[in-house]
PDB file of all heavy atoms in Angstrom:
ATOM      1  N   PHE A   1      98.015 256.664 286.149  1.00  0.00           N
ATOM      2  CA  PHE A   1      97.978 255.407 285.400  1.00  0.00           C
ATOM      3  C   PHE A   1      98.811 255.502 284.127  1.00  0.00           C
ATOM      4  O   PHE A   1      99.465 254.523 283.728  1.00  0.00           O
ATOM      5  CB  PHE A   1      96.525 255.038 285.063  1.00  0.00           C
ATOM      6  CG  PHE A   1      95.816 254.314 286.153  1.00  0.00           C
ATOM      7  CD1 PHE A   1      95.177 255.010 287.160  1.00  0.00           C
ATOM      8  CD2 PHE A   1      95.797 252.933 286.192  1.00  0.00           C
ATOM      9  CE1 PHE A   1      94.510 254.351 288.182  1.00  0.00           C
ATOM     10  CE2 PHE A   1      95.147 252.250 287.205  1.00  0.00           C
ATOM     11  CZ  PHE A   1      94.495 252.968 288.212  1.00  0.00           C
ATOM     12  N   ASP A   2      98.789 256.647 283.480  1.00  0.00           N
ATOM     13  CA  ASP A   2      99.579 256.856 282.261  1.00  0.00           C
ATOM     14  C   ASP A   2     101.068 256.728 282.567  1.00  0.00           C
ATOM     15  O   ASP A   2     101.814 256.022 281.867  1.00  0.00           O
ATOM     16  CB  ASP A   2      99.278 258.241 281.684  1.00  0.00           C
ATOM     17  CG  ASP A   2      99.632 258.356 280.214  1.00  0.00           C
ATOM     18  OD1 ASP A   2     100.577 257.682 279.774  1.00  0.00           O
ATOM     19  OD2 ASP A   2      98.965 259.120 279.500  1.00  0.00           O
ATOM     20  N   SER A   3     101.523 257.376 283.628  1.00  0.00           N
ATOM     21  CA  SER A   3     102.950 257.364 283.975  1.00  0.00           C
ATOM     22  C   SER A   3     103.425 255.972 284.349  1.00  0.00           C
ATOM     23  O   SER A   3     104.466 255.498 283.874  1.00  0.00           O
ATOM     24  CB  SER A   3     103.212 258.341 285.124  1.00  0.00           C
ATOM     25  OG  SER A   3     102.818 259.644 284.789  1.00  0.00           O
ATOM     26  N   ILE A   4     102.665 255.313 285.223  1.00  0.00           N
ATOM     27  CA  ILE A   4     103.059 253.968 285.668  1.00  0.00           C
ATOM     28  C   ILE A   4     103.055 252.997 284.492  1.00  0.00           C
ATOM     29  O   ILE A   4     103.957 252.163 284.344  1.00  0.00           O
ATOM     30  CB  ILE A   4     102.120 253.476 286.785  1.00  0.00           C
ATOM     31  CG1 ILE A   4     102.292 254.345 288.033  1.00  0.00           C
ATOM     32  CG2 ILE A   4     102.393 252.017 287.126  1.00  0.00           C
ATOM     33  CD1 ILE A   4     101.310 254.029 289.149  1.00  0.00           C
ATOM     34  N   SER A   5     102.044 253.104 283.636  1.00  0.00           N
ATOM     35  CA  SER A   5     101.947 252.198 282.490  1.00  0.00           C
ATOM     36  C   SER A   5     103.085 252.415 281.505  1.00  0.00           C
ATOM     37  O   SER A   5     103.568 251.453 280.887  1.00  0.00           O
ATOM     38  CB  SER A   5     100.597 252.394 281.784  1.00  0.00           C
ATOM     39  OG  SER A   5      99.532 252.100 282.651  1.00  0.00           O
ATOM     40  N   CYS A   6     103.520 253.665 281.325  1.00  0.00           N
ATOM     41  CA  CYS A   6     104.661 253.929 280.441  1.00  0.00           C
ATOM     42  C   CYS A   6     105.896 253.168 280.915  1.00  0.00           C
ATOM     43  O   CYS A   6     106.623 252.563 280.113  1.00  0.00           O
ATOM     44  CB  CYS A   6     104.955 255.427 280.394  1.00  0.00           C
ATOM     45  SG  CYS A   6     103.843 256.371 279.324  1.00  0.00           S
ATOM     46  N   LEU A   7     106.134 253.186 282.218  1.00  0.00           N
ATOM     47  CA  LEU A   7     107.281 252.456 282.766  1.00  0.00           C
ATOM     48  C   LEU A   7     107.119 250.954 282.574  1.00  0.00           C
ATOM     49  O   LEU A   7     108.048 250.262 282.161  1.00  0.00           O
ATOM     50  CB  LEU A   7     107.437 252.779 284.257  1.00  0.00           C
ATOM     51  CG  LEU A   7     107.887 254.202 284.608  1.00  0.00           C
ATOM     52  CD1 LEU A   7     107.799 254.424 286.114  1.00  0.00           C
ATOM     53  CD2 LEU A   7     109.309 254.456 284.120  1.00  0.00           C
ATOM     54  N   LEU A   8     105.925 250.449 282.850  1.00  0.00           N
ATOM     55  CA  LEU A   8     105.696 249.003 282.760  1.00  0.00           C
ATOM     56  C   LEU A   8     105.773 248.507 281.322  1.00  0.00           C
ATOM     57  O   LEU A   8     106.404 247.478 281.049  1.00  0.00           O
ATOM     58  CB  LEU A   8     104.327 248.666 283.349  1.00  0.00           C
ATOM     59  CG  LEU A   8     104.198 248.778 284.872  1.00  0.00           C
ATOM     60  CD1 LEU A   8     102.766 248.494 285.304  1.00  0.00           C
ATOM     61  CD2 LEU A   8     105.162 247.832 285.571  1.00  0.00           C
ATOM     62  N   PHE A   9     105.151 249.223 280.391  1.00  0.00           N
ATOM     63  CA  PHE A   9     105.138 248.765 278.999  1.00  0.00           C
ATOM     64  C   PHE A   9     106.537 248.791 278.387  1.00  0.00           C
ATOM     65  O   PHE A   9     106.873 247.951 277.556  1.00  0.00           O
ATOM     66  CB  PHE A   9     104.172 249.601 278.170  1.00  0.00           C
ATOM     67  CG  PHE A   9     102.728 249.348 278.490  1.00  0.00           C
ATOM     68  CD1 PHE A   9     101.808 250.386 278.513  1.00  0.00           C
ATOM     69  CD2 PHE A   9     102.291 248.072 278.778  1.00  0.00           C
ATOM     70  CE1 PHE A   9     100.475 250.152 278.805  1.00  0.00           C
ATOM     71  CE2 PHE A   9     100.962 247.821 279.078  1.00  0.00           C
ATOM     72  CZ  PHE A   9     100.051 248.870 279.097  1.00  0.00           C
ATOM     73  N   GLY A  10     107.343 249.765 278.791  1.00  0.00           N
ATOM     74  CA  GLY A  10     108.716 249.787 278.293  1.00  0.00           C
ATOM     75  C   GLY A  10     109.501 248.570 278.722  1.00  0.00           C
ATOM     76  O   GLY A  10     110.363 248.070 277.975  1.00  0.00           O
ATOM     77  N   TRP A  11     109.205 248.078 279.915  1.00  0.00           N
ATOM     78  CA  TRP A  11     109.890 246.888 280.436  1.00  0.00           C
ATOM     79  C   TRP A  11     109.280 245.606 279.874  1.00  0.00           C
ATOM     80  O   TRP A  11     109.987 244.693 279.470  1.00  0.00           O
ATOM     81  CB  TRP A  11     109.801 246.906 281.961  1.00  0.00           C
ATOM     82  CG  TRP A  11     110.359 245.673 282.612  1.00  0.00           C
ATOM     83  CD1 TRP A  11     111.670 245.319 282.728  1.00  0.00           C
ATOM     84  CD2 TRP A  11     109.601 244.611 283.216  1.00  0.00           C
ATOM     85  NE1 TRP A  11     111.790 244.114 283.375  1.00  0.00           N
ATOM     86  CE2 TRP A  11     110.527 243.656 283.687  1.00  0.00           C
ATOM     87  CE3 TRP A  11     108.243 244.397 283.422  1.00  0.00           C
ATOM     88  CZ2 TRP A  11     110.129 242.501 284.343  1.00  0.00           C
ATOM     89  CZ3 TRP A  11     107.852 243.237 284.079  1.00  0.00           C
ATOM     90  CH2 TRP A  11     108.787 242.309 284.525  1.00  0.00           C
ATOM     91  N   ILE A  12     107.947 245.556 279.818  1.00  0.00           N
ATOM     92  CA  ILE A  12     107.261 244.352 279.346  1.00  0.00           C
ATOM     93  C   ILE A  12     107.547 244.094 277.873  1.00  0.00           C
ATOM     94  O   ILE A  12     107.627 242.938 277.435  1.00  0.00           O
ATOM     95  CB  ILE A  12     105.743 244.482 279.586  1.00  0.00           C
ATOM     96  CG1 ILE A  12     105.450 244.509 281.090  1.00  0.00           C
ATOM     97  CG2 ILE A  12     104.983 243.347 278.923  1.00  0.00           C
ATOM     98  CD1 ILE A  12     104.000 244.787 281.420  1.00  0.00           C
ATOM     99  N   MET A  13     107.717 245.165 277.098  1.00  0.00           N
ATOM    100  CA  MET A  13     107.911 245.027 275.656  1.00  0.00           C
ATOM    101  C   MET A  13     109.114 244.150 275.325  1.00  0.00           C
ATOM    102  O   MET A  13     109.133 243.448 274.309  1.00  0.00           O
ATOM    103  CB  MET A  13     108.058 246.421 275.031  1.00  0.00           C
ATOM    104  CG  MET A  13     108.052 246.441 273.511  1.00  0.00           C
ATOM    105  SD  MET A  13     109.735 246.468 272.867  1.00  0.00           S
ATOM    106  CE  MET A  13     109.415 246.625 271.135  1.00  0.00           C
ATOM    107  N   LYS A  14     110.128 244.153 276.182  1.00  0.00           N
ATOM    108  CA  LYS A  14     111.321 243.342 275.944  1.00  0.00           C
ATOM    109  C   LYS A  14     111.010 241.849 275.999  1.00  0.00           C
ATOM    110  O   LYS A  14     111.750 241.038 275.451  1.00  0.00           O
ATOM    111  CB  LYS A  14     112.394 243.688 276.975  1.00  0.00           C
ATOM    112  CG  LYS A  14     112.921 245.109 276.879  1.00  0.00           C
ATOM    113  CD  LYS A  14     114.079 245.354 277.826  1.00  0.00           C
ATOM    114  CE  LYS A  14     113.626 245.298 279.258  1.00  0.00           C
ATOM    115  NZ  LYS A  14     114.725 245.662 280.202  1.00  0.00           N
ATOM    116  N   TYR A  15     109.908 241.479 276.659  1.00  0.00           N
ATOM    117  CA  TYR A  15     109.596 240.060 276.858  1.00  0.00           C
ATOM    118  C   TYR A  15     108.443 239.567 275.983  1.00  0.00           C
ATOM    119  O   TYR A  15     108.430 238.394 275.594  1.00  0.00           O
ATOM    120  CB  TYR A  15     109.249 239.814 278.330  1.00  0.00           C
ATOM    121  CG  TYR A  15     110.377 240.175 279.276  1.00  0.00           C
ATOM    122  CD1 TYR A  15     110.388 241.404 279.921  1.00  0.00           C
ATOM    123  CD2 TYR A  15     111.436 239.295 279.495  1.00  0.00           C
ATOM    124  CE1 TYR A  15     111.423 241.752 280.774  1.00  0.00           C
ATOM    125  CE2 TYR A  15     112.476 239.636 280.350  1.00  0.00           C
ATOM    126  CZ  TYR A  15     112.469 240.867 280.988  1.00  0.00           C
ATOM    127  OH  TYR A  15     113.501 241.210 281.828  1.00  0.00           O
ATOM    128  N   VAL A  16     107.486 240.426 275.675  1.00  0.00           N
ATOM    129  CA  VAL A  16     106.327 239.973 274.902  1.00  0.00           C
ATOM    130  C   VAL A  16     106.267 240.576 273.507  1.00  0.00           C
ATOM    131  O   VAL A  16     105.470 240.137 272.677  1.00  0.00           O
ATOM    132  CB  VAL A  16     105.015 240.290 275.659  1.00  0.00           C
ATOM    133  CG1 VAL A  16     105.014 239.630 277.020  1.00  0.00           C
ATOM    134  CG2 VAL A  16     104.803 241.800 275.793  1.00  0.00           C
ATOM    135  N   GLY A  17     107.084 241.592 273.243  1.00  0.00           N
ATOM    136  CA  GLY A  17     107.069 242.226 271.936  1.00  0.00           C
ATOM    137  C   GLY A  17     106.109 243.406 271.884  1.00  0.00           C
ATOM    138  O   GLY A  17     105.392 243.702 272.838  1.00  0.00           O
ATOM    139  N   ARG A  18     106.080 244.054 270.753  1.00  0.00           N
ATOM    140  CA  ARG A  18     105.314 245.284 270.586  1.00  0.00           C
ATOM    141  C   ARG A  18     103.836 245.027 270.284  1.00  0.00           C
ATOM    142  O   ARG A  18     102.959 245.701 270.826  1.00  0.00           O
ATOM    143  CB  ARG A  18     105.936 246.117 269.463  1.00  0.00           C
ATOM    144  CG  ARG A  18     105.259 247.405 269.146  1.00  0.00           C
ATOM    145  CD  ARG A  18     106.056 248.219 268.131  1.00  0.00           C
ATOM    146  NE  ARG A  18     106.483 247.407 267.006  1.00  0.00           N
ATOM    147  CZ  ARG A  18     107.742 246.959 266.834  1.00  0.00           C
ATOM    148  NH1 ARG A  18     108.681 247.259 267.695  1.00  0.00           N
ATOM    149  NH2 ARG A  18     108.055 246.216 265.784  1.00  0.00           N
ATOM    150  N   SER A  19     103.533 244.061 269.457  1.00  0.00           N
ATOM    151  CA  SER A  19     102.160 243.851 268.989  1.00  0.00           C
ATOM    152  C   SER A  19     101.175 243.536 270.106  1.00  0.00           C
ATOM    153  O   SER A  19     100.055 244.081 270.112  1.00  0.00           O
ATOM    154  CB  SER A  19     102.138 242.745 267.928  1.00  0.00           C
ATOM    155  OG  SER A  19     102.859 243.148 266.780  1.00  0.00           O
ATOM    156  N   PRO A  20     101.508 242.661 271.076  1.00  0.00           N
ATOM    157  CA  PRO A  20     100.556 242.419 272.170  1.00  0.00           C
ATOM    158  C   PRO A  20     100.233 243.674 272.971  1.00  0.00           C
ATOM    159  O   PRO A  20      99.095 243.849 273.416  1.00  0.00           O
ATOM    160  CB  PRO A  20     101.274 241.376 273.037  1.00  0.00           C
ATOM    161  CG  PRO A  20     102.219 240.691 272.118  1.00  0.00           C
ATOM    162  CD  PRO A  20     102.680 241.757 271.171  1.00  0.00           C
ATOM    163  N   ILE A  21     101.209 244.542 273.142  1.00  0.00           N
ATOM    164  CA  ILE A  21     100.961 245.774 273.885  1.00  0.00           C
ATOM    165  C   ILE A  21     100.070 246.712 273.083  1.00  0.00           C
ATOM    166  O   ILE A  21      99.169 247.366 273.627  1.00  0.00           O
ATOM    167  CB  ILE A  21     102.294 246.452 274.250  1.00  0.00           C
ATOM    168  CG1 ILE A  21     103.116 245.525 275.151  1.00  0.00           C
ATOM    169  CG2 ILE A  21     102.057 247.790 274.949  1.00  0.00           C
ATOM    170  CD1 ILE A  21     104.477 246.056 275.516  1.00  0.00           C
ATOM    171  N   ILE A  22     100.301 246.787 271.768  1.00  0.00           N
ATOM    172  CA  ILE A  22      99.424 247.577 270.901  1.00  0.00           C
ATOM    173  C   ILE A  22      97.994 247.043 270.985  1.00  0.00           C
ATOM    174  O   ILE A  22      97.023 247.815 271.033  1.00  0.00           O
ATOM    175  CB  ILE A  22      99.912 247.535 269.445  1.00  0.00           C
ATOM    176  CG1 ILE A  22     101.270 248.242 269.304  1.00  0.00           C
ATOM    177  CG2 ILE A  22      98.889 248.155 268.505  1.00  0.00           C
ATOM    178  CD1 ILE A  22     101.224 249.738 269.439  1.00  0.00           C
ATOM    179  N   PHE A  23      97.858 245.727 271.036  1.00  0.00           N
ATOM    180  CA  PHE A  23      96.535 245.118 271.149  1.00  0.00           C
ATOM    181  C   PHE A  23      95.860 245.527 272.453  1.00  0.00           C
ATOM    182  O   PHE A  23      94.648 245.785 272.483  1.00  0.00           O
ATOM    183  CB  PHE A  23      96.656 243.591 271.073  1.00  0.00           C
ATOM    184  CG  PHE A  23      95.358 242.861 271.264  1.00  0.00           C
ATOM    185  CD1 PHE A  23      94.440 242.789 270.237  1.00  0.00           C
ATOM    186  CD2 PHE A  23      95.058 242.252 272.482  1.00  0.00           C
ATOM    187  CE1 PHE A  23      93.235 242.122 270.415  1.00  0.00           C
ATOM    188  CE2 PHE A  23      93.864 241.591 272.669  1.00  0.00           C
ATOM    189  CZ  PHE A  23      92.950 241.520 271.627  1.00  0.00           C
ATOM    190  N   ILE A  24      96.626 245.603 273.541  1.00  0.00           N
ATOM    191  CA  ILE A  24      96.069 246.031 274.833  1.00  0.00           C
ATOM    192  C   ILE A  24      95.548 247.462 274.731  1.00  0.00           C
ATOM    193  O   ILE A  24      94.431 247.771 275.165  1.00  0.00           O
ATOM    194  CB  ILE A  24      97.136 245.918 275.943  1.00  0.00           C
ATOM    195  CG1 ILE A  24      97.463 244.449 276.205  1.00  0.00           C
ATOM    196  CG2 ILE A  24      96.666 246.601 277.225  1.00  0.00           C
ATOM    197  CD1 ILE A  24      98.632 244.255 277.165  1.00  0.00           C
ATOM    198  N   GLY A  25      96.352 248.356 274.159  1.00  0.00           N
ATOM    199  CA  GLY A  25      95.937 249.748 274.029  1.00  0.00           C
ATOM    200  C   GLY A  25      94.716 249.907 273.142  1.00  0.00           C
ATOM    201  O   GLY A  25      93.781 250.648 273.475  1.00  0.00           O
ATOM    202  N   ALA A  26      94.713 249.203 272.005  1.00  0.00           N
ATOM    203  CA  ALA A  26      93.583 249.298 271.087  1.00  0.00           C
ATOM    204  C   ALA A  26      92.313 248.742 271.719  1.00  0.00           C
ATOM    205  O   ALA A  26      91.222 249.310 271.570  1.00  0.00           O
ATOM    206  CB  ALA A  26      93.903 248.558 269.791  1.00  0.00           C
ATOM    207  N   SER A  27      92.451 247.637 272.446  1.00  0.00           N
ATOM    208  CA  SER A  27      91.285 247.034 273.105  1.00  0.00           C
ATOM    209  C   SER A  27      90.740 247.951 274.184  1.00  0.00           C
ATOM    210  O   SER A  27      89.516 248.119 274.311  1.00  0.00           O
ATOM    211  CB  SER A  27      91.673 245.677 273.715  1.00  0.00           C
ATOM    212  OG  SER A  27      92.119 244.786 272.718  1.00  0.00           O
ATOM    213  N   ALA A  28      91.646 248.549 274.970  1.00  0.00           N
ATOM    214  CA  ALA A  28      91.213 249.453 276.032  1.00  0.00           C
ATOM    215  C   ALA A  28      90.465 250.648 275.463  1.00  0.00           C
ATOM    216  O   ALA A  28      89.376 251.006 275.941  1.00  0.00           O
ATOM    217  CB  ALA A  28      92.425 249.927 276.843  1.00  0.00           C
ATOM    218  N   ASN A  29      91.008 251.259 274.424  1.00  0.00           N
ATOM    219  CA  ASN A  29      90.347 252.423 273.829  1.00  0.00           C
ATOM    220  C   ASN A  29      89.017 252.047 273.181  1.00  0.00           C
ATOM    221  O   ASN A  29      88.027 252.778 273.304  1.00  0.00           O
ATOM    222  CB  ASN A  29      91.250 253.080 272.805  1.00  0.00           C
ATOM    223  CG  ASN A  29      92.325 253.952 273.422  1.00  0.00           C
ATOM    224  OD1 ASN A  29      93.177 254.495 272.743  1.00  0.00           O
ATOM    225  ND2 ASN A  29      92.313 254.107 274.745  1.00  0.00           N
ATOM    226  N   THR A  30      88.981 250.908 272.491  1.00  0.00           N
ATOM    227  CA  THR A  30      87.750 250.489 271.823  1.00  0.00           C
ATOM    228  C   THR A  30      86.643 250.210 272.825  1.00  0.00           C
ATOM    229  O   THR A  30      85.491 250.628 272.644  1.00  0.00           O
ATOM    230  CB  THR A  30      88.012 249.235 270.963  1.00  0.00           C
ATOM    231  OG1 THR A  30      89.046 249.509 270.013  1.00  0.00           O
ATOM    232  CG2 THR A  30      86.753 248.820 270.222  1.00  0.00           C
ATOM    233  N   MET A  31      86.972 249.497 273.900  1.00  0.00           N
ATOM    234  CA  MET A  31      85.962 249.183 274.916  1.00  0.00           C
ATOM    235  C   MET A  31      85.458 250.450 275.605  1.00  0.00           C
ATOM    236  O   MET A  31      84.262 250.583 275.875  1.00  0.00           O
ATOM    237  CB  MET A  31      86.536 248.196 275.937  1.00  0.00           C
ATOM    238  CG  MET A  31      86.716 246.792 275.403  1.00  0.00           C
ATOM    239  SD  MET A  31      87.190 245.588 276.673  1.00  0.00           S
ATOM    240  CE  MET A  31      88.822 246.193 277.140  1.00  0.00           C
TER     241      MET A  31
END
């Protein structure tokens, strides 16, 4: 999951920006 997500987030970041992805990571860890 870590490897696949690294590839996806690198691609998604170009379209949604950095902050939404940081929010996903923070939410996942907090939950």
Side-chain angles (χ1 to χ4, degrees):
F1 276 86
D2 201 329
S3 302
I4 294 174
S5 299
C6 281
L7 291 172
L8 288 177
F9 289 142
W11 175 73
I12 294 174
M13 189 263 185
K14 295 186 293 185
Y15 300 97
V16 302
R18 179 173 47 256
S19 295
I21 298 177
I22 294 289
F23 176 77
I24 292 173
S27 299
N29 281 176
T30 303
M31 288 188 295

